[in-house]
C-alpha cells in the first residue's frame, strides 16, 4: 500500500495572517519605544503618551466580544479586510495628527480593530487545514506576535530615532494596505455561521472546557504581565538596570524558540506543552525570587520564561478553538477579553505590589497564580486541555 503523502500547509495564506498579527502587536507596542519623540510632537508628557497603549487595550477589551457576536454571519475575508482597514486608517491619523485627543481616538480605533482581528485569526487559520494540522496552522499564524515583540519594536524604536515617530506609523499604514492586497489575492474566503447554528455568548461560555481555558489564560498572562510590565524596577533592584534591553532581547529570542517548539509538537501534545510551559514559568519565577540578584540566574530564568511564554498564545487559542468547535470565533473573542484583562490587571496589581511590598513580592505572587494555572489545566483533561488523538 502506498503511504499517503503529507498534506502541505497553505503557507502563503497562513503567513498573511502572521503578518496581520505582526501589525497588531507592533501598532500596540510601538509607542512604548517612541515616548519622548511622541510626547514632544503632541506637546504632552511621556506619561500621557503612555496612555495611548492603555486606550488601545481598552478598545480591544470593549470591542472583541460584541463585535465578534454581531458579525458571526459575515463572510470571513471581508471581515478580516475591515479589521486591517481599521489599522490603516488609525495609523494614518496618528501619522498626521497634531492633536492629542484625536490621536487617542485613533488609538482606540486601532484597539477595536485588534479586538476583532484577534478573535478571527485562530479560527481562520484552523479552517484552512484538516483537523490534524490545526495546531500547527495556528502556530504559524501566531508567529507574528513574538517577531513583533523581539524584532519589530526594537527596529521601530531605532527607525523612529532616525526618521521620526510619524514616519514609523506611516510605514505601518502602508504595510496594512499591502497586506490587504495580499489577503484579497491569497487568503481564501469562508462563509459566516448560518443563523440556525449561531450560539449565544452564554451558551459558548458554559460549554465544557471553555471556562478552564479562560481561567488559565487569565492567570498565566496576569503572572506574565506583572513581571514583564515591571521588569525595569525588578532589574534595578538586582543592580542590572543598564541591562534591561539585553534582558528583553534574551526574552524575545527565547520566545521565538518557544513558538517554534510548540508549532512542531502542538497537534499531538497540546496538554503536555501547556503543563510544561506553566512549570517552566514557575521555575523561572522561583529562581528569580531565590537568587534574582545573580546575573547568571537572571539571564537563565528570563530565557526559560521566554521559552515558556513564546508558544502560550498558540496553546491557548488552539485549546479553545478545539473546545468550542463551530463557535470558535465567539470563544476566541472571550479569550481576547481575558487576555486584555490580564494585561490591565498586570499593570494594576504589579504597581500595587511594587508600591506596597517591593519587587520581592513578585515571585510569590507569580508562583500562586501559576500553581492555580497548573491545577486547572491538569484537571481539564477531558475538555479544554485534553490530549490530541494520535
Amino acid at each position: 500500500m502506498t503511504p499517503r503523502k503529507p498534506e502541505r500547509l497553505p503557507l502563503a495564506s497562513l503567513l498573511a495572517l502572521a503578518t496581520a498579527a505582526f501589525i497588531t502587536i507592533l501598532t500596540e507596542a510601538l509607542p512604548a519605544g517612541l515616548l519622548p519623540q511622541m510626547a514632544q510632537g503632541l506637546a504632552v508628557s511621556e506619561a500621557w503618551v503612555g496612555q495611548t497603549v492603555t486606550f488601545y487595550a481598552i478598545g480591544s477589551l470593549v470591542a472583541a466580544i460584541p463585535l465578534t457576536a454581531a458579525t458571526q454571519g459575515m463572510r470571513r475575508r471581508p471581515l478580516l479586510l475591515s479589521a486591517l482597514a481599521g489599522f490603516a486608517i488609525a495609523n494614518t491619523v496618528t501619522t498626521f495628527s497634531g492633536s492629542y485627543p484625536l490621536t487617542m481616538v485613533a488609538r482606540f480605533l486601532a484597539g477595536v480593530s485588534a479586538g476583532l482581528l484577534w478573535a478571527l485569526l485562530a479560527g481562520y487559520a484552523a479552517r484552512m487545514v484538516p483537523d490534524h494540522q490545526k495546531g500547527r496552522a495556528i502556530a504559524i499564524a501566531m508567529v507574528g506576535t513574538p517577531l513583533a515583540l523581539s524584532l519589530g519594536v526594537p527596529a521601530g524604536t531605532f527607525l523612529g530615532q532616525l526618521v521620526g515617530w510619524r514616519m514609523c506609523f506611516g510605514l505601518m499604514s502602508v504595510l496594512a494596505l499591502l497586506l490587504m492586497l495580499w489577503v484579497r489575492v491569497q487568503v481564501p474566503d469562508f462563509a459566516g455561521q448560518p443563523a440556525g447554528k449561531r450560539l449565544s455568548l452564554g451558551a459558548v461560555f458554559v460549554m465544557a472546557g471553555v471556562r478552564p481555558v479562560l481561567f488559565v489564560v487569565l492567570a498565566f498572562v496576569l503572572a506574565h504581565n506583572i513581571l514583564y510590565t515591571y521588569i525595569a524596577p525588578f532589574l534595578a533592584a538586582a543592580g542590572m538596570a543598564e541591562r534591561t534591553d539585553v534582558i528583553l532581547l534574551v526574552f524575545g529570542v527565547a520566545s521565538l524558540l518557544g513558538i517554534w517548539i510548540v508549532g512542531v509538537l502542538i497537534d499531538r501534545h497540546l496538554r503536555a506543552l501547556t503543563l510544561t510551559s506553566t512549570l517552566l514559568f514557575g521555575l523561572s519565577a522561583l529562581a528569580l525570587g531565590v537568587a534574582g540578584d545573580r546575573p547568571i540566574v537572571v539571564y537563565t530564568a528570563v530565557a526559560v520564561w521566554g521559552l515558556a511564554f513564546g508558544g502560550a498564545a498558540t496553546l491557548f487559542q488552539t485549546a479553545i478553538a478545539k473546545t468550542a468547535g463551530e463557535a470558535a470565533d465567539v470563544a476566541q473573542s472571550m479569550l481576547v477579553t481575558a487576555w486584555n484583562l490580564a494585561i490591565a490587571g498586570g499593570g494594576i496589581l504589579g504597581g500595587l505590589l511594587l508600591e506596597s511590598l517591593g519587587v520581592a513580592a513578585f515571585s510569590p505572587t507569580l508562583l500562586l497564580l501559576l500553581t492555580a494555572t497548573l491545577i486547572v489545566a491538569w484537571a481539564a483533561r477531558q475538555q479544554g486541555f485534553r490530549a490530541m488523538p494520535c
Side-chain angles (χ1 to χ4, degrees):
M1 184 176 178
T2 305
R4 188 180 66 175
K5 293 183 179 179
E7 296 173 78
R8 297 179 62 183
L9 289 165
L11 283 179
S13 299
L14 291 172
L15 288 175
L17 299 185
T19 306
F22 180 89
I23 289 174
T24 305
I25 291 294
L26 193 53
T27 299
E28 175 183 8
L30 195 56
L34 301 172
L35 284 182
Q37 299 96 312
M38 291 184 69
Q40 184 177 6
L42 295 171
V44 295
S45 70
E46 291 185 19
W48 281 108
V49 173
Q51 300 314 304
T52 59
V53 178
T54 304
F55 263 60
Y56 184 102
I58 291 172
S60 296
L61 189 64
V62 302
I65 290 177
L67 264 184
T68 303
T71 57
Q72 288 185 75
M74 288 184 61
R75 297 196 67 84
R76 300 292 93 179
R77 190 169 63 193
L79 198 56
L80 177 60
L81 289 170
S82 297
L84 293 173
F87 282 111
I89 294 169
N91 284 325
T92 298
V93 172
T94 303
T95 300
F96 293 105
S97 172
S99 162
Y100 179 76
L102 179 59
T103 300
M104 297 303 275
V105 171
R107 293 294 295 175
F108 183 85
L109 172 61
V112 169
S113 300
L116 178 59
L117 191 139
W118 281 129
L120 282 173
L121 280 186
Y124 213 129
R127 292 179 75 172
M128 293 183 189
V129 297
D131 193 64
H132 67 279
Q133 291 183 322
K134 289 184 186 300
R136 187 170 295 182
I138 293 172
I140 294 172
M142 291 299 110
V143 78
T145 300
L147 282 174
L149 290 172
S150 61
L151 301 177
V153 174
T157 302
F158 177 73
L159 186 63
Q161 293 171 349
L162 289 180
V163 299
W165 66 273
R166 294 184 186 278
M167 182 65 73
C168 290
F169 284 99
L171 290 173
M172 293 294 294
S173 297
V174 173
L175 182 58
L177 290 172
L178 291 174
L179 179 58
M180 290 176 69
L181 179 61
W182 184 359
V183 168
R184 183 63 184 83
V185 172
Q186 193 68 53
V187 176
D189 192 12
F190 297 106
Q193 284 253 312
K197 290 188 176 182
R198 296 174 204 165
L199 295 177
S200 67
L201 294 172
V204 176
F205 184 71
V206 299
M207 289 177 68
V210 168
R211 282 166 295 174
V213 175
L214 292 176
F215 177 88
V216 166
V217 170
L218 189 62
F220 188 98
V221 179
L222 179 58
H224 164 77
N225 276 282
I226 288 172
L227 185 56
Y228 193 85
T229 304
Y230 296 98
I231 190 66
F234 181 88
L235 294 174
M240 298 178 64
E242 73 284 356
R243 301 292 180 88
T244 301
D245 54 348
V246 179
I247 291 290
L248 291 178
L249 179 61
V250 169
F251 177 87
V253 172
S255 294
L256 291 175
L257 178 59
I259 199 169
W260 178 79
I261 292 171
V262 166
V264 171
L265 300 175
I266 188 171
D267 284 309
R268 290 182 178 271
H269 303 290
L270 170 65
R271 176 178 173 78
L273 288 167
T274 302
L275 296 174
T276 300
S277 293
T278 306
L279 282 169
L280 288 175
F281 190 3
L283 289 173
S284 299
L286 180 62
L288 290 172
V290 172
D293 56 343
R294 300 179 185 177
I296 185 62
V297 173
V298 173
Y299 280 113
T300 304
V302 167
V304 174
W305 168 31
L307 187 68
F309 185 77
T314 301
L315 290 171
F316 302 152
Q317 290 184 309
T318 302
I320 209 162
K322 287 279 190 177
T323 299
E326 291 188 351
D329 287 350
V330 175
Q332 293 290 346
S333 72
M334 294 179 181
L335 187 149
V336 171
T337 300
W339 193 288
N340 279 283
L341 280 172
I343 292 174
I348 295 169
L349 180 56
L352 291 173
L353 290 172
L354 185 64
E355 290 294 322
S356 58
L357 300 170
V359 297
F362 287 1
S363 179
T365 304
L366 266 58
L367 287 171
L368 183 63
L369 288 167
L370 293 168
T371 299
T373 301
L374 191 65
I375 291 170
V376 172
W378 179 267
R381 63 183 69 193
Q382 299 300 323
Q383 295 289 339
F385 295 100
R386 64 184 186 274
M388 296 294 184
C390 297

